[in-house]
Amino acid sequence: MKRNDIVDMYGDELLFMEPHYFDKAIIGVVQQFNNPTVCYDKNKVLALLVNKEGMTEDEAIEYF
């Protein structure tokens, strides 16, 4: 699912991770306490932090 699709369905009130390259890790939208929330794949986010930000795996886990 892409950011634009989510915004089209839910409006622009949802929080997204920045920068936009984290969009590659979006799984979809889940309900959290009756509020829609963007859901990200943890392993993909960690890989992006390592590859794009130059973090070590331990640094990425701590940051996440």
Side-chain angles (χ1 to χ4, degrees):
M1 184 169 256
K2 298 187 190 273
R3 181 186 292 240
N4 293 340
D5 298 331
I6 294 171
V7 171
D8 288 345
M9 286 190 287
Y10 294 94
D12 60 356
E13 296 180 22
L14 296 179
L15 296 177
F16 290 90
M17 292 178 71
E18 295 292 340
H20 283 275
Y21 61 73
F22 285 115
D23 290 358
K24 295 177 182 176
I26 292 175
I27 296 172
V29 177
V30 297
Q31 289 290 93
Q32 181 179 6
F33 305 111
N34 295 323
N35 295 316
T37 304
V38 180
C39 181
Y40 291 85
D41 182 304
K42 176 183 174 183
N43 292 325
K44 288 182 181 180
V45 169
L46 294 175
L48 287 165
L49 288 170
V50 169
N51 295 326
K52 298 284 188 179
E53 298 292 333
M55 295 182 183
T56 65
E57 288 184 26
D58 288 337
E59 289 171 333
I61 290 168
E62 185 176 332
Y63 181 84
F64 183 70

Short mmCIF file of all heavy atoms in Angstrom, two decimals:
data_model
loop_
_atom_site.label_atom_id
_atom_site.label_comp_id
_atom_site.label_asym_id
_atom_site.label_seq_id
_atom_site.Cartn_x
_atom_site.Cartn_y
_atom_site.Cartn_z
N MET A 1 0.85 -1.17 0.00
CA MET A 1 0.00 0.00 0.00
C MET A 1 0.90 1.24 0.00
O MET A 1 1.91 1.28 0.67
CB MET A 1 -0.88 -0.04 1.24
CG MET A 1 -1.88 1.08 1.32
SD MET A 1 -3.09 0.80 2.61
CE MET A 1 -4.46 0.30 1.60
N LYS A 2 0.52 2.21 -0.75
CA LYS A 2 1.33 3.42 -0.89
C LYS A 2 0.74 4.57 -0.07
O LYS A 2 -0.45 4.60 0.22
CB LYS A 2 1.42 3.82 -2.36
CG LYS A 2 2.09 2.78 -3.22
CD LYS A 2 2.29 3.31 -4.62
CE LYS A 2 2.74 2.24 -5.54
NZ LYS A 2 4.08 1.93 -5.67
N ARG A 3 1.59 5.52 0.25
CA ARG A 3 1.18 6.68 1.05
C ARG A 3 -0.01 7.39 0.41
O ARG A 3 -0.97 7.74 1.10
CB ARG A 3 2.36 7.65 1.20
CG ARG A 3 2.05 8.88 2.02
CD ARG A 3 3.19 9.87 2.03
NE ARG A 3 4.33 9.37 2.75
CZ ARG A 3 4.85 9.97 3.83
NH1 ARG A 3 4.35 11.10 4.26
NH2 ARG A 3 5.90 9.46 4.43
N ASN A 4 0.04 7.61 -0.89
CA ASN A 4 -1.06 8.31 -1.57
C ASN A 4 -2.37 7.56 -1.44
O ASN A 4 -3.43 8.19 -1.27
CB ASN A 4 -0.73 8.53 -3.05
CG ASN A 4 0.42 9.49 -3.25
OD1 ASN A 4 0.74 10.28 -2.37
ND2 ASN A 4 1.04 9.43 -4.41
N ASP A 5 -2.33 6.24 -1.52
CA ASP A 5 -3.55 5.43 -1.36
C ASP A 5 -4.12 5.60 0.04
O ASP A 5 -5.34 5.72 0.21
CB ASP A 5 -3.26 3.95 -1.61
CG ASP A 5 -2.77 3.68 -3.02
OD1 ASP A 5 -3.16 4.43 -3.95
OD2 ASP A 5 -2.01 2.71 -3.20
N ILE A 6 -3.25 5.60 1.03
CA ILE A 6 -3.70 5.74 2.42
C ILE A 6 -4.31 7.12 2.64
O ILE A 6 -5.37 7.25 3.26
CB ILE A 6 -2.53 5.48 3.39
CG1 ILE A 6 -2.09 4.01 3.29
CG2 ILE A 6 -2.91 5.84 4.82
CD1 ILE A 6 -0.82 3.69 4.03
N VAL A 7 -3.67 8.16 2.13
CA VAL A 7 -4.19 9.52 2.28
C VAL A 7 -5.54 9.64 1.58
O VAL A 7 -6.47 10.26 2.11
CB VAL A 7 -3.18 10.56 1.75
CG1 VAL A 7 -3.80 11.95 1.69
CG2 VAL A 7 -1.93 10.58 2.62
N ASP A 8 -5.68 9.01 0.41
CA ASP A 8 -6.97 9.05 -0.30
C ASP A 8 -8.08 8.40 0.52
O ASP A 8 -9.21 8.88 0.53
CB ASP A 8 -6.86 8.34 -1.66
CG ASP A 8 -6.07 9.13 -2.68
OD1 ASP A 8 -5.82 10.34 -2.46
OD2 ASP A 8 -5.66 8.53 -3.70
N MET A 9 -7.76 7.31 1.22
CA MET A 9 -8.78 6.59 1.99
C MET A 9 -9.06 7.22 3.35
O MET A 9 -10.20 7.22 3.81
CB MET A 9 -8.36 5.14 2.19
CG MET A 9 -8.50 4.30 0.94
SD MET A 9 -8.29 2.54 1.26
CE MET A 9 -6.53 2.44 1.52
N TYR A 10 -8.02 7.74 4.02
CA TYR A 10 -8.16 8.17 5.41
C TYR A 10 -7.95 9.66 5.62
O TYR A 10 -8.07 10.14 6.75
CB TYR A 10 -7.16 7.41 6.29
CG TYR A 10 -7.45 5.94 6.38
CD1 TYR A 10 -6.82 5.04 5.51
CD2 TYR A 10 -8.36 5.44 7.29
CE1 TYR A 10 -7.08 3.68 5.58
CE2 TYR A 10 -8.63 4.09 7.37
CZ TYR A 10 -7.99 3.21 6.50
OH TYR A 10 -8.25 1.86 6.57
N GLY A 11 -7.61 10.39 4.58
CA GLY A 11 -7.31 11.80 4.75
C GLY A 11 -5.88 11.99 5.19
O GLY A 11 -5.10 11.05 5.28
N ASP A 12 -5.53 13.21 5.49
CA ASP A 12 -4.13 13.51 5.83
C ASP A 12 -3.88 13.60 7.33
O ASP A 12 -2.90 14.21 7.76
CB ASP A 12 -3.69 14.79 5.12
CG ASP A 12 -4.53 16.00 5.51
OD1 ASP A 12 -5.50 15.83 6.27
OD2 ASP A 12 -4.21 17.10 5.06
N GLU A 13 -4.74 12.98 8.13
CA GLU A 13 -4.59 13.06 9.57
C GLU A 13 -3.70 11.97 10.15
O GLU A 13 -3.31 12.03 11.30
CB GLU A 13 -5.96 13.02 10.25
CG GLU A 13 -6.82 14.22 9.90
CD GLU A 13 -8.17 14.19 10.58
OE1 GLU A 13 -8.32 13.50 11.60
OE2 GLU A 13 -9.08 14.85 10.07
N LEU A 14 -3.37 10.96 9.35
CA LEU A 14 -2.53 9.87 9.84
C LEU A 14 -1.07 10.31 9.89
O LEU A 14 -0.62 11.14 9.10
CB LEU A 14 -2.65 8.64 8.95
CG LEU A 14 -4.01 7.98 8.89
CD1 LEU A 14 -3.99 6.79 7.95
CD2 LEU A 14 -4.47 7.54 10.26
N LEU A 15 -0.32 9.75 10.83
CA LEU A 15 1.10 10.06 10.96
C LEU A 15 1.91 9.05 10.16
O LEU A 15 1.69 7.84 10.26
CB LEU A 15 1.52 10.02 12.42
CG LEU A 15 0.87 11.04 13.34
CD1 LEU A 15 1.35 10.83 14.77
CD2 LEU A 15 1.21 12.45 12.87
N PHE A 16 2.85 9.55 9.39
CA PHE A 16 3.75 8.72 8.61
C PHE A 16 5.17 8.96 9.10
O PHE A 16 5.52 10.05 9.56
CB PHE A 16 3.69 9.11 7.12
CG PHE A 16 2.41 8.74 6.45
CD1 PHE A 16 1.34 9.62 6.43
CD2 PHE A 16 2.26 7.51 5.84
CE1 PHE A 16 0.15 9.29 5.81
CE2 PHE A 16 1.09 7.16 5.20
CZ PHE A 16 0.02 8.06 5.19
N MET A 17 6.00 7.93 8.97
CA MET A 17 7.42 8.09 9.28
C MET A 17 8.05 8.93 8.19
O MET A 17 7.69 8.84 7.03
CB MET A 17 8.11 6.72 9.34
CG MET A 17 7.66 5.86 10.50
SD MET A 17 8.45 4.23 10.53
CE MET A 17 10.12 4.68 10.98
N GLU A 18 8.98 9.77 8.59
CA GLU A 18 9.75 10.59 7.65
C GLU A 18 11.21 10.20 7.77
O GLU A 18 11.65 9.84 8.86
CB GLU A 18 9.55 12.08 7.96
CG GLU A 18 8.14 12.58 7.75
CD GLU A 18 7.71 12.60 6.29
OE1 GLU A 18 8.57 12.59 5.40
OE2 GLU A 18 6.51 12.61 6.06
N PRO A 19 11.95 10.28 6.72
CA PRO A 19 11.65 10.73 5.37
C PRO A 19 10.85 9.69 4.59
O PRO A 19 10.60 8.59 5.06
CB PRO A 19 13.02 10.98 4.74
CG PRO A 19 13.97 10.16 5.53
CD PRO A 19 13.38 10.00 6.91
N HIS A 20 10.47 10.09 3.39
CA HIS A 20 9.56 9.28 2.57
C HIS A 20 10.11 7.91 2.20
O HIS A 20 9.35 7.04 1.80
CB HIS A 20 9.18 10.03 1.29
CG HIS A 20 8.15 11.10 1.52
ND1 HIS A 20 6.81 10.83 1.54
CD2 HIS A 20 8.27 12.42 1.76
CE1 HIS A 20 6.14 11.94 1.77
NE2 HIS A 20 7.01 12.93 1.91
N TYR A 21 11.41 7.67 2.31
CA TYR A 21 11.90 6.34 1.93
C TYR A 21 11.37 5.26 2.87
O TYR A 21 11.38 4.08 2.53
CB TYR A 21 13.43 6.28 1.78
CG TYR A 21 14.25 6.58 3.00
CD1 TYR A 21 14.33 5.68 4.06
CD2 TYR A 21 14.97 7.75 3.09
CE1 TYR A 21 15.11 5.95 5.17
CE2 TYR A 21 15.77 8.03 4.18
CZ TYR A 21 15.83 7.12 5.22
OH TYR A 21 16.60 7.39 6.31
N PHE A 22 10.85 5.63 4.03
CA PHE A 22 10.23 4.65 4.92
C PHE A 22 8.91 4.12 4.34
O PHE A 22 8.39 3.11 4.80
CB PHE A 22 10.00 5.22 6.32
CG PHE A 22 11.24 5.33 7.13
CD1 PHE A 22 11.71 6.57 7.52
CD2 PHE A 22 11.94 4.20 7.51
CE1 PHE A 22 12.86 6.68 8.28
CE2 PHE A 22 13.11 4.30 8.27
CZ PHE A 22 13.56 5.55 8.66
N ASP A 23 8.37 4.80 3.33
CA ASP A 23 7.15 4.33 2.68
C ASP A 23 7.32 2.92 2.12
O ASP A 23 6.36 2.17 1.99
CB ASP A 23 6.72 5.28 1.55
CG ASP A 23 6.22 6.61 2.07
OD1 ASP A 23 6.17 6.81 3.31
OD2 ASP A 23 5.87 7.47 1.23
N LYS A 24 8.57 2.54 1.80
CA LYS A 24 8.84 1.19 1.29
C LYS A 24 8.52 0.12 2.32
O LYS A 24 8.37 -1.04 1.98
CB LYS A 24 10.30 1.07 0.87
CG LYS A 24 10.68 1.94 -0.28
CD LYS A 24 12.16 1.83 -0.59
CE LYS A 24 12.53 2.77 -1.72
NZ LYS A 24 13.97 2.76 -2.00
N ALA A 25 8.42 0.51 3.59
CA ALA A 25 8.16 -0.44 4.67
C ALA A 25 6.70 -0.48 5.10
O ALA A 25 6.35 -1.23 6.01
CB ALA A 25 9.05 -0.11 5.86
N ILE A 26 5.83 0.30 4.45
CA ILE A 26 4.42 0.33 4.83
C ILE A 26 3.76 -1.01 4.50
O ILE A 26 3.88 -1.52 3.39
CB ILE A 26 3.66 1.47 4.14
CG1 ILE A 26 4.15 2.82 4.64
CG2 ILE A 26 2.14 1.34 4.36
CD1 ILE A 26 3.54 4.02 3.92
N ILE A 27 3.08 -1.56 5.50
CA ILE A 27 2.29 -2.79 5.31
C ILE A 27 0.85 -2.43 4.98
O ILE A 27 0.22 -3.02 4.14
CB ILE A 27 2.32 -3.65 6.59
CG1 ILE A 27 3.74 -4.13 6.88
CG2 ILE A 27 1.38 -4.84 6.45
CD1 ILE A 27 3.88 -4.82 8.22
N GLY A 28 0.32 -1.45 5.69
CA GLY A 28 -1.07 -1.05 5.51
C GLY A 28 -1.51 -0.18 6.67
O GLY A 28 -0.70 0.49 7.30
N VAL A 29 -2.80 -0.23 6.96
CA VAL A 29 -3.38 0.55 8.05
C VAL A 29 -4.06 -0.41 9.01
O VAL A 29 -4.76 -1.33 8.58
CB VAL A 29 -4.39 1.60 7.52
CG1 VAL A 29 -5.03 2.36 8.67
CG2 VAL A 29 -3.70 2.56 6.57
N VAL A 30 -3.83 -0.22 10.29
CA VAL A 30 -4.46 -1.04 11.33
C VAL A 30 -5.27 -0.13 12.24
O VAL A 30 -5.09 1.08 12.25
CB VAL A 30 -3.40 -1.82 12.14
CG1 VAL A 30 -2.66 -2.80 11.26
CG2 VAL A 30 -2.42 -0.89 12.83
N GLN A 31 -6.16 -0.73 13.00
CA GLN A 31 -6.96 0.01 13.97
C GLN A 31 -6.29 -0.13 15.33
O GLN A 31 -6.04 -1.23 15.80
CB GLN A 31 -8.37 -0.54 14.05
CG GLN A 31 -9.22 -0.23 12.84
CD GLN A 31 -9.58 1.22 12.72
OE1 GLN A 31 -8.88 1.96 12.06
NE2 GLN A 31 -10.66 1.63 13.33
N GLN A 32 -5.98 0.99 15.97
CA GLN A 32 -5.41 0.99 17.31
C GLN A 32 -6.30 1.83 18.18
O GLN A 32 -6.36 3.06 18.01
CB GLN A 32 -3.98 1.53 17.27
CG GLN A 32 -3.30 1.54 18.60
CD GLN A 32 -1.88 2.08 18.51
OE1 GLN A 32 -1.44 2.55 17.47
NE2 GLN A 32 -1.18 2.04 19.61
N PHE A 33 -7.01 1.20 19.08
CA PHE A 33 -7.95 1.89 19.96
C PHE A 33 -8.93 2.72 19.14
O PHE A 33 -9.16 3.90 19.39
CB PHE A 33 -7.22 2.76 20.99
CG PHE A 33 -6.21 2.01 21.80
CD1 PHE A 33 -4.86 2.23 21.64
CD2 PHE A 33 -6.63 1.05 22.70
CE1 PHE A 33 -3.93 1.53 22.38
CE2 PHE A 33 -5.71 0.34 23.44
CZ PHE A 33 -4.35 0.59 23.28
N ASN A 34 -9.49 2.12 18.10
CA ASN A 34 -10.47 2.73 17.20
C ASN A 34 -9.92 3.89 16.39
O ASN A 34 -10.66 4.70 15.85
CB ASN A 34 -11.72 3.17 17.96
CG ASN A 34 -12.47 2.00 18.54
OD1 ASN A 34 -12.55 0.94 17.91
ND2 ASN A 34 -13.01 2.16 19.72
N ASN A 35 -8.59 4.00 16.30
CA ASN A 35 -7.95 5.02 15.48
C ASN A 35 -7.11 4.33 14.41
O ASN A 35 -6.30 3.46 14.72
CB ASN A 35 -7.03 5.90 16.33
CG ASN A 35 -7.79 6.71 17.35
OD1 ASN A 35 -8.81 7.29 17.04
ND2 ASN A 35 -7.29 6.74 18.56
N PRO A 36 -7.29 4.72 13.15
CA PRO A 36 -6.45 4.13 12.11
C PRO A 36 -5.00 4.58 12.29
O PRO A 36 -4.72 5.73 12.62
CB PRO A 36 -7.04 4.67 10.81
CG PRO A 36 -7.82 5.88 11.18
CD PRO A 36 -8.23 5.71 12.61
N THR A 37 -4.08 3.63 12.13
CA THR A 37 -2.66 3.87 12.31
C THR A 37 -1.88 3.21 11.18
O THR A 37 -2.16 2.07 10.84
CB THR A 37 -2.19 3.28 13.67
OG1 THR A 37 -2.99 3.84 14.71
CG2 THR A 37 -0.74 3.57 13.94
N VAL A 38 -0.93 3.92 10.62
CA VAL A 38 -0.10 3.35 9.56
C VAL A 38 0.79 2.28 10.19
O VAL A 38 1.41 2.51 11.23
CB VAL A 38 0.75 4.42 8.87
CG1 VAL A 38 1.60 3.81 7.78
CG2 VAL A 38 -0.14 5.52 8.28
N CYS A 39 0.84 1.11 9.56
CA CYS A 39 1.61 -0.02 10.07
C CYS A 39 2.83 -0.25 9.18
O CYS A 39 2.70 -0.29 7.96
CB CYS A 39 0.72 -1.26 10.09
SG CYS A 39 1.54 -2.72 10.74
N TYR A 40 3.99 -0.38 9.81
CA TYR A 40 5.25 -0.57 9.10
C TYR A 40 5.85 -1.93 9.44
O TYR A 40 5.71 -2.41 10.57
CB TYR A 40 6.26 0.51 9.49
CG TYR A 40 5.90 1.89 9.00
CD1 TYR A 40 5.04 2.70 9.73
CD2 TYR A 40 6.41 2.37 7.81
CE1 TYR A 40 4.70 3.97 9.28
CE2 TYR A 40 6.08 3.64 7.36
CZ TYR A 40 5.22 4.43 8.09
OH TYR A 40 4.89 5.68 7.64
N ASP A 41 6.54 -2.53 8.47
CA ASP A 41 7.27 -3.77 8.69
C ASP A 41 8.56 -3.44 9.44
O ASP A 41 9.42 -2.71 8.92
CB ASP A 41 7.59 -4.42 7.33
CG ASP A 41 8.32 -5.73 7.47
OD1 ASP A 41 9.40 -5.76 8.10
OD2 ASP A 41 7.83 -6.73 6.91
N LYS A 42 8.70 -3.95 10.65
CA LYS A 42 9.84 -3.62 11.50
C LYS A 42 11.16 -3.97 10.83
O LYS A 42 12.11 -3.18 10.85
CB LYS A 42 9.71 -4.37 12.83
CG LYS A 42 10.89 -4.17 13.76
CD LYS A 42 10.71 -5.01 15.00
CE LYS A 42 11.94 -4.93 15.88
NZ LYS A 42 11.81 -5.80 17.06
N ASN A 43 11.25 -5.15 10.24
CA ASN A 43 12.51 -5.56 9.62
C ASN A 43 12.89 -4.67 8.45
O ASN A 43 14.07 -4.37 8.25
CB ASN A 43 12.44 -7.03 9.19
CG ASN A 43 12.35 -7.96 10.38
OD1 ASN A 43 12.95 -7.70 11.42
ND2 ASN A 43 11.61 -9.03 10.23
N LYS A 44 11.90 -4.22 7.69
CA LYS A 44 12.19 -3.32 6.57
C LYS A 44 12.64 -1.95 7.07
O LYS A 44 13.54 -1.34 6.50
CB LYS A 44 10.98 -3.19 5.65
CG LYS A 44 10.70 -4.43 4.84
CD LYS A 44 9.52 -4.24 3.92
CE LYS A 44 9.24 -5.50 3.12
NZ LYS A 44 8.10 -5.34 2.22
N VAL A 45 12.01 -1.47 8.14
CA VAL A 45 12.41 -0.19 8.71
C VAL A 45 13.86 -0.27 9.20
O VAL A 45 14.67 0.62 8.93
CB VAL A 45 11.47 0.24 9.87
CG1 VAL A 45 12.05 1.42 10.63
CG2 VAL A 45 10.09 0.57 9.33
N LEU A 46 14.19 -1.35 9.89
CA LEU A 46 15.55 -1.52 10.39
C LEU A 46 16.56 -1.58 9.24
O LEU A 46 17.62 -0.96 9.29
CB LEU A 46 15.66 -2.76 11.27
CG LEU A 46 14.88 -2.71 12.58
CD1 LEU A 46 14.97 -4.05 13.31
CD2 LEU A 46 15.34 -1.58 13.47
N ALA A 47 16.20 -2.30 8.18
CA ALA A 47 17.09 -2.38 7.02
C ALA A 47 17.28 -1.01 6.37
O ALA A 47 18.39 -0.66 5.95
CB ALA A 47 16.53 -3.38 6.00
N LEU A 48 16.23 -0.22 6.30
CA LEU A 48 16.33 1.13 5.74
C LEU A 48 17.22 2.02 6.60
O LEU A 48 17.99 2.82 6.07
CB LEU A 48 14.94 1.75 5.56
CG LEU A 48 14.11 1.16 4.42
CD1 LEU A 48 12.65 1.58 4.55
CD2 LEU A 48 14.67 1.60 3.08
N LEU A 49 17.11 1.89 7.91
CA LEU A 49 17.97 2.69 8.79
C LEU A 49 19.44 2.32 8.59
O LEU A 49 20.30 3.19 8.59
CB LEU A 49 17.56 2.49 10.25
CG LEU A 49 16.25 3.14 10.67
CD1 LEU A 49 15.83 2.67 12.06
CD2 LEU A 49 16.36 4.66 10.63
N VAL A 50 19.71 1.05 8.40
CA VAL A 50 21.09 0.61 8.18
C VAL A 50 21.58 1.09 6.82
O VAL A 50 22.66 1.67 6.70
CB VAL A 50 21.19 -0.93 8.29
CG1 VAL A 50 22.54 -1.43 7.80
CG2 VAL A 50 20.94 -1.38 9.73
N ASN A 51 20.75 0.89 5.78
CA ASN A 51 21.18 1.20 4.42
C ASN A 51 21.16 2.68 4.08
O ASN A 51 22.05 3.16 3.38
CB ASN A 51 20.32 0.44 3.40
CG ASN A 51 20.52 -1.06 3.51
OD1 ASN A 51 21.60 -1.53 3.81
ND2 ASN A 51 19.46 -1.80 3.27
N LYS A 52 20.17 3.41 4.55
CA LYS A 52 20.04 4.82 4.18
C LYS A 52 20.71 5.77 5.17
O LYS A 52 21.19 6.82 4.80
CB LYS A 52 18.56 5.21 4.06
CG LYS A 52 17.79 4.47 2.99
CD LYS A 52 18.12 5.00 1.63
CE LYS A 52 17.19 4.39 0.59
NZ LYS A 52 17.46 4.90 -0.74
N GLU A 53 20.71 5.39 6.44
CA GLU A 53 21.25 6.27 7.48
C GLU A 53 22.65 5.85 7.92
O GLU A 53 23.28 6.55 8.70
CB GLU A 53 20.32 6.32 8.69
CG GLU A 53 18.94 6.88 8.40
CD GLU A 53 18.95 8.36 8.08
OE1 GLU A 53 19.85 9.08 8.54
OE2 GLU A 53 18.04 8.79 7.36
N GLY A 54 23.11 4.68 7.46
CA GLY A 54 24.43 4.21 7.81
C GLY A 54 24.57 3.74 9.25
O GLY A 54 25.68 3.70 9.78
N MET A 55 23.45 3.39 9.87
CA MET A 55 23.50 2.92 11.25
C MET A 55 23.95 1.46 11.29
O MET A 55 23.78 0.73 10.32
CB MET A 55 22.10 3.01 11.90
CG MET A 55 21.58 4.40 12.06
SD MET A 55 19.96 4.35 12.88
CE MET A 55 19.55 6.08 12.87
N THR A 56 24.49 1.05 12.43
CA THR A 56 24.72 -0.37 12.65
C THR A 56 23.37 -0.99 12.99
O THR A 56 22.39 -0.28 13.28
CB THR A 56 25.69 -0.60 13.82
OG1 THR A 56 25.08 -0.15 15.03
CG2 THR A 56 27.03 0.11 13.59
N GLU A 57 23.32 -2.31 12.98
CA GLU A 57 22.05 -2.98 13.33
C GLU A 57 21.63 -2.62 14.76
O GLU A 57 20.45 -2.38 15.01
CB GLU A 57 22.17 -4.47 13.15
CG GLU A 57 22.21 -4.90 11.70
CD GLU A 57 22.24 -6.40 11.51
OE1 GLU A 57 21.75 -7.12 12.40
OE2 GLU A 57 22.75 -6.83 10.47
N ASP A 58 22.59 -2.59 15.66
CA ASP A 58 22.26 -2.24 17.06
C ASP A 58 21.76 -0.80 17.17
O ASP A 58 20.81 -0.52 17.91
CB ASP A 58 23.48 -2.44 17.97
CG ASP A 58 23.80 -3.92 18.20
OD1 ASP A 58 22.89 -4.76 18.04
OD2 ASP A 58 24.95 -4.21 18.54
N GLU A 59 22.39 0.12 16.46
CA GLU A 59 21.94 1.51 16.47
C GLU A 59 20.53 1.63 15.89
O GLU A 59 19.69 2.39 16.42
CB GLU A 59 22.89 2.39 15.67
CG GLU A 59 24.24 2.60 16.32
CD GLU A 59 25.24 3.29 15.41
OE1 GLU A 59 25.15 3.18 14.17
OE2 GLU A 59 26.15 3.95 15.96
N ALA A 60 20.27 0.89 14.82
CA ALA A 60 18.94 0.93 14.18
C ALA A 60 17.87 0.42 15.14
O ALA A 60 16.80 1.01 15.26
CB ALA A 60 18.95 0.12 12.89
N ILE A 61 18.17 -0.67 15.84
CA ILE A 61 17.21 -1.22 16.81
C ILE A 61 16.94 -0.23 17.92
O ILE A 61 15.80 0.01 18.30
CB ILE A 61 17.72 -2.56 17.36
CG1 ILE A 61 17.68 -3.63 16.27
CG2 ILE A 61 16.91 -3.01 18.58
CD1 ILE A 61 18.43 -4.91 16.60
N GLU A 62 17.99 0.38 18.45
CA GLU A 62 17.83 1.35 19.53
C GLU A 62 17.02 2.57 19.05
O GLU A 62 16.15 3.06 19.73
CB GLU A 62 19.18 1.81 20.04
CG GLU A 62 19.09 2.72 21.23
CD GLU A 62 20.45 3.08 21.80
OE1 GLU A 62 21.39 2.30 21.67
OE2 GLU A 62 20.55 4.18 22.38
N TYR A 63 17.32 3.05 17.85
CA TYR A 63 16.62 4.21 17.29
C TYR A 63 15.14 3.90 17.07
O TYR A 63 14.27 4.70 17.37
CB TYR A 63 17.28 4.62 15.98
CG TYR A 63 16.64 5.82 15.32
CD1 TYR A 63 16.98 7.11 15.70
CD2 TYR A 63 15.68 5.67 14.31
CE1 TYR A 63 16.41 8.21 15.10
CE2 TYR A 63 15.10 6.76 13.72
CZ TYR A 63 15.45 8.03 14.10
OH TYR A 63 14.88 9.12 13.51
N PHE A 64 14.88 2.71 16.54
CA PHE A 64 13.50 2.31 16.24
C PHE A 64 12.69 2.19 17.50
O PHE A 64 11.59 2.60 17.61
CB PHE A 64 13.49 0.99 15.47
CG PHE A 64 12.11 0.55 15.05
CD1 PHE A 64 11.43 1.23 14.08
CD2 PHE A 64 11.53 -0.57 15.61
CE1 PHE A 64 10.16 0.81 13.67
CE2 PHE A 64 10.27 -0.99 15.22
CZ PHE A 64 9.58 -0.31 14.24
#
